[in-house]
Amino acid sequence: MAAVILLACLLRAWGKPAAGVAAAFVLALHPWHIRYGVDARAYALVVPLCVSGMFAVTRLAESGGRKWWPWAWWAATEFLWLWTFPNALFDVTALNILAGVLLWKSQAVSRDRWTVLLRLL
């Protein structure tokens, strides 16, 4: 249920609210998501943590790395994701690279770029 709500909110933040509702509806009815959602394994947390990670990185890029709560959100998501599903190392690495690129582009001053990248590290 958390993945469905987070997916709708994520696509709304990306400027596509109708797509968010449609994607959340499809995710709610998708057979694989239903099966993994009731499993008592780490698979149940992969989808909501992945969407939460993308949402946290989006908020981090929007704030330019200046607010503390997107950093805390991303750190908590990253920790839980890797703790519950260690094979997600590649996914987390990809999102960290994406966050680095977005934060690098959002900063105008070179000193600020290095500051946010070191925070990300």
Side-chain angles (χ1 to χ4, degrees):
M1 192 66 187
V4 173
I5 294 167
L6 281 170
L7 185 62
C9 293
L10 173 66
L11 288 173
R12 182 173 177 252
W14 286 354
K16 307 285 185 194
V21 172
F25 180 72
V26 169
L27 185 63
L29 298 178
H30 198 284
W32 283 358
H33 187 256
I34 292 171
R35 179 171 184 281
Y36 286 150
V38 296
D39 258 350
R41 298 185 202 147
Y43 302 130
L45 294 175
V46 169
V47 176
L49 289 172
C50 181
V51 176
S52 176
M54 289 188 290
F55 202 9
V57 168
T58 299
R59 292 295 183 211
L60 193 59
E62 285 175 355
S63 72
R66 288 181 178 83
K67 296 181 180 175
W68 67 270
W69 65 268
W71 288 108
W73 181 7
W74 174 230
T77 299
E78 194 173 29
F79 173 76
L80 287 173
W81 200 356
L82 288 172
W83 181 265
T84 59
F85 195 68
N87 293 339
L89 181 64
F90 300 109
D91 305 329
V92 171
T93 302
L95 270 176
N96 272 314
I97 292 170
L98 175 66
V101 169
L102 292 174
L103 287 170
W104 184 270
K105 285 184 171 184
S106 71
Q107 303 300 319
V109 180
S110 178
R111 187 193 68 181
D112 292 341
R113 287 179 175 172
W114 289 107
T115 302
V116 295
L117 287 182
L118 288 173
R119 284 182 191 161
L120 183 61
L121 183 66

